Amino acid sequence: MSDVDRLIEQALDDEDRALREVLSREPGFVASALGLLTGPRAWARWVMFISQAVMFIGGVWLAWLFFQTEEVLEALRYGISAGVLLLGSLVMKTGMTPFMTENRMVTEIRRLELRIERMRSGS
């Protein structure tokens, strides 16, 4: 903790400390991902989540068939299909990262706005 952080902590009253404690907890990956499923663009994200899950399940199933087959042509067919579906699933999942970052940035901006308003009302 830096000196500036210590000075800020000492200047806060109990209500501010409690608020800062609640706001300082950063959500994990699952909480951030589930936070994408609300709001005006939630329907598109639901479609992406469902299609990503279907692609992943299909890719795992085709990979299982790939390891079970003994013929080269069948193995090639299952292996390439499994690879394409698993990579497509991965691309869709990483495509959600900018949205989670956007939500985190909006939260940080709101926290700063709240601090500025509290500073204005305190002086």
Side-chain angles (χ1 to χ4, degrees):
M1 186 182 257
S2 69
D3 292 334
V4 174
D5 289 335
R6 269 193 220 105
L7 289 173
I8 291 172
E9 192 68 34
Q10 291 170 354
L12 297 175
D13 60 9
D14 291 334
E15 182 181 339
D16 288 335
R17 265 193 207 100
L19 182 63
R20 187 170 186 204
E21 186 69 31
V22 169
L23 291 176
S24 66
R25 281 187 242 130
E26 191 168 321
F29 180 80
V30 175
S32 294
L34 292 177
L36 295 175
L37 299 176
T38 58
R41 294 177 285 182
W43 68 271
R45 293 177 185 148
W46 272 104
V47 169
M48 287 180 73
F49 269 123
I50 291 169
S51 60
Q52 184 268 329
V54 168
M55 288 173 70
F56 179 76
I57 291 168
V60 169
W61 179 65
L62 287 172
W64 180 265
L65 292 176
F66 168 76
F67 287 112
Q68 296 297 318
T69 189
E70 294 178 4
E71 294 183 26
V72 174
L73 190 56
E74 273 189 71
L76 200 60
R77 181 176 51 167
Y78 291 139
I80 290 174
S81 300
V84 167
L85 285 176
L86 289 173
L87 283 173
S89 170
L90 180 66
V91 166
M92 287 187 122
K93 186 175 289 195
T94 56
M96 292 293 207
T97 306
F99 298 119
M100 292 190 312
T101 305
E102 174 188 346
N103 284 351
R104 188 174 295 158
M105 292 298 293
V106 167
T107 303
E108 290 296 323
I109 289 170
R110 287 181 182 155
R111 183 190 303 172
L112 287 173
E113 288 174 345
L114 179 63
R115 285 182 181 173
I116 290 170
E117 285 301 316
R118 287 178 112 11
M119 286 173 38
R120 282 184 186 165
S121 65
S123 57

